[in-house]
C-alpha cells in the first residue's frame, strides 16, 4: 500500500477489496511494531501513514454502512 493512500482512491474500491486492504494494513502495522521493538525500523513516518490508512478504510466502510456513501457497484446500478 502506498504511503498516504488518498480517500478518493479507497472510495473507488468495493467492500471486499477494502476488507482485504484493511487486513493487509493491519498485518503491516503489526510487523512495523515488531521492527520498532527490535530497533530495526528506519522510517518511523510509515507507522503514522499505516494507522491513517486504517482509519480511512474504517471511515469509508462506516459511511457505507450508514448509507452516507454507496459502493461503486451500487451507485452504477441506480
Amino acid at each position: 500500500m502506498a504511503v498516504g493512500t488518498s480517500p478518493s482512491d479507497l472510495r473507488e474500491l468495493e467492500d471486499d477489496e477494502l476488507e482485504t486492504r484493511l487486513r493487509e494494513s493491519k498485518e503491516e502495522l503489526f510487523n512495523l511494531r515488531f521492527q520498532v521493538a527490535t530497533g530495526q525500523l528506519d522510517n518511523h513516518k510509515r507507522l503514522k501513514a499505516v494507522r491513517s490508512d486504517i482509519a480511512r478504510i474504517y471511515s469509508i466502510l462506516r459511511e457505507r454502512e450508514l448509507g452516507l456513501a454507496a459502493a461503486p457497484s451500487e451507485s452504477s446500478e441506480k
Side-chain angles (χ1 to χ4, degrees), residues 9-25:
D9 291 340
L10 292 173
R11 281 190 174 93
E12 294 173 0
L13 301 176
E14 294 186 21
D15 288 343
D16 57 342
E17 294 170 329
L18 281 174
E19 294 289 340
T20 303
R21 286 264 182 118
L22 180 62
R23 189 175 353 95
E24 291 171 355
S25 294

Side-chain angles (χ1 to χ4, degrees), residues 1-7 9-10 13 21-22 24-25 28 32 43 45-54 56-57:
M1 208 166 176
V3 175
T5 306
S6 68
D9 291 340
L10 292 173
L13 301 176
R21 286 264 182 118
L22 180 62
E24 291 171 355
S25 294
E28 184 178 0
L32 288 172
N43 185 4
K45 290 182 182 181
R46 186 68 187 141
L47 276 170
K48 183 177 179 181
V50 172
R51 283 197 313 260
S52 296
D53 286 344
I54 290 172
R56 279 188 194 102
I57 292 170

